[in-house]
Structures are given as structure tokens and as C-alpha cells.
Amino acid sequence: MGYSGSVQWFSYLLVFMLLLLKTEGGSIPITIVETAKTRGAVCLDGSPPAYHFDKGYGSGANNWIVHMEGGGWCDDIESCLERRDTYKGSSLKMEKTMGFSGILGSKQAANPDFYNWNRIKIKYCDGSSFTGDVEAVDPKTKLYFRGERIWRAVIDDLLAKGMRNAQNAILSGCSAGGLASILHCDKFRSLLPASAKVKCVSDAGYFIHGKDIAGGYEIENFYGRVVRLHGSAKNLPTSCTSRMRPELCFFPQNVAQTMQTPLFVINSAYDSWQIKNILAPSAVDKKGSFKSCKTDLKKCSASQLQTVQDFRLQFINALNSGVANKPANGMFINSCHAHCQSGSVSTWFDAKSPVLSNTKIGKAVGDWFYDRASFKKIDCAYPCNPTCVKIDSDS
């Protein structure tokens, strides 16, 4: 073959391998934002924040989707200490590479509207949905509550890498990250060019101010502890905190009422995390009478299932007060016993993905973003939808 022929053959092989990596998603390396430490933007353990970034190309070169990872919250020193030395509290413990799928997927057939965008996943290491900001650090616990600073430091890093010239942009997230996408939505819009099309997508992040099985609101108490511990009040949307107590502004139904940026909500009306932790939290279900039901709806008694159906009505009412009445918003509310449906190809745009009105989640979101069609659908009551897939992942 000769030297020049070998070089040419190797060049073709290299190009082929790079294309293969692009179509398969590949292993996307972690980016540690070392400069964030100078502004005190650090994880619970004091390590710098991080994100994974797959660069856009072609028609998507100036389009950006920033997706925030989920992972629950810590509401007291003990629970934050439990997170501090794990990937949920330290970039030192995070995986060095990861693959993307679903809304972040790189295959055109599986993610036709966003496959070639700049796609980012912000790692979650603060336990407050990126809202905390406490200057003081207790020398005993050495815990840093700096979620808001993390969010801004990462966004500033992305702006410097080209996002300041975005033509289209989405702020999205799953679970605690889905809540963060709502809480930071208008702020995200304000940092991007006025000419850009900017919208937000919340997946399994529409946590409701719901009544639990004891008739109380244990979730309000929980969020109140999160807000106080992390010093979140000053970073929650002022359009909400000017009207009600800060902990109530951790609930999307109260924030969405005054949001200016279009929002798409992907959620189950039977969200598995919410049924476990809002409807029947362990602090209320002390005897465990709801334990089997909240894990598997097929194991609910007739009376328990009625309680679950009543919770669905609470959820729909919360949607109606915050999202449904704005024409620019969209929603895909199915009846699957699920939590987080945008991150997996199997639920985003797969042949067997759940559908509403013969439409998959990925198509509904794409049509809505590009204004091809509006989409506001609420599924019939469980167990009516045969396309449902149970995804009971952690928040």
C-alpha cells in the first residue's frame, strides 16, 4: 500500500470512528469548572462544579440544550453529610465520562429535533435544586450550600463557550433538576440574546403542594427545611416570593403563574416519587400501610387506589392553576407510574415509548418548541394507557 496509502487509509478510519462516536453518543467527558472556586461556587464538599458537554454541529451549531441532573434534596445537616462524599455532593466522586440519550441523544432517528445541538448535562451536587447560597461554612461539618452559585458559574462557562450567541436554547432537567428548570427558567432567558428562541422543559419536576394521606402537607414542611438550610429564599423567583412564603415558591404551581418564558411539563399524574413522598411519605405512613401500594399501583386496595386517583385530581388542579392557562406552554401528562421520561430513548422517541394522542414525548416537545403544533394533553385515569412503561427511578 505504501506510506501515503497507509496514511490515507488511517485518515478514513479515523473519520469513520469519529462519525461512529457521534452517532452512538460516545463517552462524553466531564468538564470541571475549576475557576468557579474563586467565586465560591462549589459542591457540598467544597469541590468545583462539573458538567458533560457534547458539542453541536451543522444546523445545530448555535443551538443549546442545558439539562440539569436530578437527585432529590437534603433538608438537614445529617442528610447533607450523607451526600457530601458521594457523586451527589462532590465532583471528586463523579463519573469521568457518560453517555447521553433521550432529549440529549445524538442519533437523529431517536432525537430528530435536538440530536445535533450543543447538549449539556449539569451535574447535581448541592442538594437544593441549584438555589442555595450561604456564605458561612461551619468548620465542624465543612458543608457548602452554594447551589445558586454553581448554576450561574456553569452557565457563565457555557456562555463563554458560545452560548452567548445561541439562536435556540432549552433549559431542561429531570426531577430535582426539572424543578430547577422551572425555578431558573426566566433567569436563563434573561442571559441569552433577545433574538433567540428560548424555552424550558421540566421532566418529573412539577412537584405539587399536595395533601398527604393524613390530610396534612408534609412536603411543605420538607421544602421549608430545604429552603432555610440552603438559604434559598433570595434566589427563588421574586415574582413568587413577593406574594407568598419562600417555601411555597419551591412548588412549581406557584412559580409558573408568573413565569414569562414558555414552559413544557412532562410528568405523570401518578408520578412514582410524588406518590411515595408527597401522598404517602414515611413520616406520615408510619405503620407502612401504604408501602406496597405506593411501590406498585397494582397492589393497591380499592380504597387506596381511590386515594391515588384523588391525588391525580390534586395534580391536575395544580397544573390548571400554573401551566394550562397559558397558550405558549405545553404539557404531556400521562398515566404511567413513572418518574423521569425524557432521559431514556425507550420513553422519549422509541417505537414502544408511551404516547398521548398517538404522539410520543419527543415529538410533542419538538413540535411545541419549533411552533409546529401546540401540545397540551392529560391522559385518562390509570390504568387506561396500554403504552405506559414503568420507570421507577430515583429522583
Side-chain angles (χ1 to χ4, degrees):
M1 183 183 296
Y3 179 77
S4 61
S6 297
V7 170
Q8 187 176 34
W9 177 85
F10 180 77
S11 298
Y12 287 148
L13 179 62
L14 183 61
V15 170
F16 173 77
M17 292 300 292
L18 289 172
L19 286 172
L20 185 64
L21 274 174
K22 178 57 70 177
T23 56
E24 293 298 325
S27 294
I28 301 158
I30 197 167
T31 299
I32 306 293
V33 191
E34 293 286 356
T35 55
K37 293 183 73 173
T38 60
R39 57 203 286 187
V42 293
C43 301
L44 286 169
D45 72 333
S47 60
Y51 61 87
H52 295 266
F53 179 15
D54 199 13
K55 192 170 177 58
Y57 63 96
S59 61
N62 290 317
N63 300 336
W64 296 72
I65 179 164
V66 180
H67 184 86
M68 291 172 287
E69 189 176 52
W73 309 269
C74 56
D75 65 321
D76 55 27
I77 296 298
E78 183 180 3
S79 60
C80 289
L81 285 172
E82 289 175 357
R83 298 168 72 99
R84 186 188 61 189
D85 299 322
T86 73
Y87 69 93
K88 290 185 178 182
S90 172
S91 60
L92 302 176
K93 304 292 184 179
M94 293 173 184
E95 54 195 338
K96 303 307 178 189
T97 62
M98 74 181 309
F100 284 172
S101 60
I103 195 171
L104 295 178
S106 63
K107 290 184 178 180
Q108 185 173 6
N111 189 26
D113 286 307
F114 313 118
Y115 74 96
N116 64 348
W117 284 31
N118 294 281
R119 288 161 291 111
I120 297 95
K121 177 173 277 192
I122 304 179
K123 303 297 287 183
Y124 182 42
C125 63
D126 67 278
S128 73
S129 284
F130 300 97
T131 62
D133 191 357
V134 177
E135 182 64 35
V137 179
D138 189 327
K140 293 182 180 179
T141 64
K142 297 180 180 178
L143 284 170
Y144 293 79
F145 302 113
R146 305 282 179 77
E148 175 70 22
R149 294 194 206 183
I150 287 174
W151 185 82
R152 187 55 195 264
V154 170
I155 295 298
D156 284 348
D157 203 52
L158 294 173
L159 288 169
K161 288 180 176 178
M163 194 168 71
R164 63 163 58 99
N165 300 315
Q167 294 174 350
N168 296 291
I170 292 175
L171 183 67
S172 71
C174 158
S175 193
L179 172 59
S181 71
I182 295 173
L183 298 179
H184 291 85
C185 184
D186 284 344
K187 198 178 304 180
F188 182 70
R189 161 71 274 187
S190 72
L191 296 171
L192 295 173
S195 59
K197 180 191 288 287
V198 181
K199 300 185 180 184
C200 300
V201 177
S202 172
D203 178 14
Y206 205 86
F207 300 96
I208 68 167
H209 188 219
K211 188 178 294 186
D212 58 48
I213 55 175
Y217 294 89
E218 178 58 30
I219 189 64
E220 181 184 324
N221 297 330
F222 177 78
Y223 280 161
R225 293 192 296 271
V226 172
V227 168
R228 288 189 292 274
L229 178 65
H230 291 265
S232 301
K234 60 182 174 291
N235 297 315
L236 297 172
T238 54
S239 58
C240 180
T241 55
S242 63
R243 298 181 293 114
M244 56 186 73
R245 289 180 284 117
E247 60 266 34
L248 295 179
C249 296
F250 225 65
F251 292 101
Q253 67 202 75
N254 296 327
V255 174
Q257 294 173 13
T258 52
M259 279 176 60
Q260 300 299 307
T261 310
L263 170 68
F264 195 102
V265 174
I266 304 165
N267 230 104
S268 169
Y270 304 88
D271 183 276
S272 55
W273 191 93
Q274 295 200 48
I275 287 175
K276 287 178 184 175
N277 298 282
I278 296 181
L279 177 62
S282 55
V284 172
D285 186 29
K286 294 179 180 179
K287 295 183 179 179
S289 61
F290 236 82
K291 184 177 181 180
S292 295
C293 172
K294 66 186 182 181
T295 303
D296 185 349
L297 298 186
K298 293 189 294 293
K299 295 181 180 179
C300 296
S301 67
S303 63
Q304 287 175 332
L305 188 57
Q306 183 57 56
T307 300
V308 170
Q309 300 291 17
D310 290 343
F311 183 79
R312 170 182 177 267
L313 296 179
Q314 290 188 65
F315 186 87
I316 292 172
N317 287 337
L319 278 172
N320 288 338
S321 66
V323 177
N325 58 359
K326 291 187 177 181
N329 291 340
M331 55 189 187
F332 188 108
I333 311 299
N334 60 22
S335 59
C336 307
H337 187 220
H339 186 69
C340 288
Q341 301 179 76
S342 68
S344 168
V345 66
S346 65
T347 48
W348 177 248
F349 206 75
D350 189 66
K352 296 183 179 179
S353 293
V355 301
L356 285 180
S357 298
N358 296 315
T359 306
K360 298 174 182 126
I361 297 172
K363 184 175 186 336
V365 174
D367 285 349
W368 165 81
F369 181 84
Y370 282 112
D371 301 314
R372 295 190 296 252
S374 60
F375 196 94
K376 279 185 187 172
K377 304 291 182 183
I378 299 176
D379 209 351
C380 47
Y382 172 89
C384 69
N385 191 333
T387 69
C388 279
V389 177
K390 183 177 183 295
I391 339 152
D392 195 5
S393 59
D394 292 334
S395 79

